[in-house]
Amino acid sequence: MAIHPEVSTSTHPATLVEDDLVTSAVGRRVLAITRLATGFIFLWAFLDKTFGLHYSTGAPVTEGTPSLAWIDGGTPSQGFMKFAAVGPFKDTFASMASPVTDWLFMLAMLGVGTAVMLGIGLRVSAVAGSLVMLLMWVAEWPFIQGSNNPLIDYHIIYALVLILCATLLAGDTWGLGRRWAKLGIVQRQRWLR
């Protein structure tokens, strides 16, 4: 495993880069594409729910009904938490639904999506994004008969991909990960990598 001295300091050991972990150039490019696609999933959720682009947010039900866009007063997390949550935690999610959960959810979608697309702060993004995905997985309670799969669904896959991207430093290829790693604060606070 090669250590790149250009990113080391006298007080901190040299920093690993993606080349050290994924030795295949093709593998690094596939990982970068996977990172970008996953980041776009989170960023798109933010954009669609903010501006009501009529994909998962949907169009108004009838002419004259208000838009479901967040900028038009829509509630990006509350409807899901109050009406879509099922299983033993349904009442817990419904009782937590508020404008605060809307802000937290939307900030998570924007923050995770932007960071993953840029290839920076992937460890923080992996934790935050995985937490959101796990909460959504629990809210949809996959153990109910008729669900697609009682254990693994897209929420779990997204969380695993975020963890994979952070672990393998996927932001170093076609992202700003290497530059980010050279910042003094990132070298002092390794969890920011």
Side-chain angles (χ1 to χ4, degrees):
M1 180 180 313
I3 301 296
H4 296 269
E6 69 272 9
V7 292
S8 66
T9 66
S10 60
T11 59
H12 297 283
T15 302
L16 287 175
V17 293
E18 187 182 24
D19 297 5
D20 298 327
L21 300 172
V22 181
T23 58
S24 161
V26 172
R28 286 190 301 277
R29 287 191 290 268
V30 169
L31 189 58
I33 291 167
T34 303
R35 173 184 55 81
L36 290 167
T38 304
F40 189 69
I41 288 169
F42 284 85
L43 196 55
W44 179 259
F46 171 80
L47 293 170
D48 186 41
K49 292 176 185 329
T50 298
F51 301 109
L53 302 176
H54 309 308
Y55 288 88
S56 67
T57 303
V61 178
T62 60
E63 181 90 21
T65 59
S67 164
L68 299 175
W70 195 30
I71 62 170
D72 293 332
T75 56
S77 73
Q78 292 182 64
F80 175 80
M81 293 174 79
K82 289 179 181 176
F83 307 112
V86 296
F89 301 107
K90 177 180 181 174
D91 293 338
T92 303
F93 283 106
S95 69
M96 291 187 321
S98 71
V100 172
T101 61
D102 290 334
W103 275 96
L104 290 172
F105 176 75
M106 294 299 281
L107 288 173
M109 294 298 103
L110 177 62
V112 170
T114 302
V116 172
M117 292 285 292
L118 293 174
I120 62 173
L122 293 180
R123 290 177 181 169
V124 175
S125 299
V127 170
S130 294
L131 179 62
V132 171
M133 290 297 104
L134 182 61
L135 287 170
M136 291 176 74
W137 179 81
V138 169
E140 290 185 7
W141 200 250
F143 303 110
I144 293 176
Q145 287 286 329
S147 69
N148 288 337
N149 186 316
L151 296 176
I152 305 297
D153 72 355
Y154 65 98
H155 298 102
I156 303 300
I157 298 301
Y158 292 160
L160 290 172
V161 169
L162 288 170
I163 293 165
L164 179 74
C165 287
T167 303
L168 296 180
L169 307 174
D172 289 3
T173 300
W174 300 345
L176 301 175
R178 288 180 201 245
R179 288 183 185 168
W180 180 257
K182 292 178 183 180
L183 295 176
I185 190 168
V186 177
Q187 289 186 358
R188 287 187 304 275
Q189 304 294 324
R190 309 288 299 153
W191 59 272
L192 292 173
R193 176 73 157 106

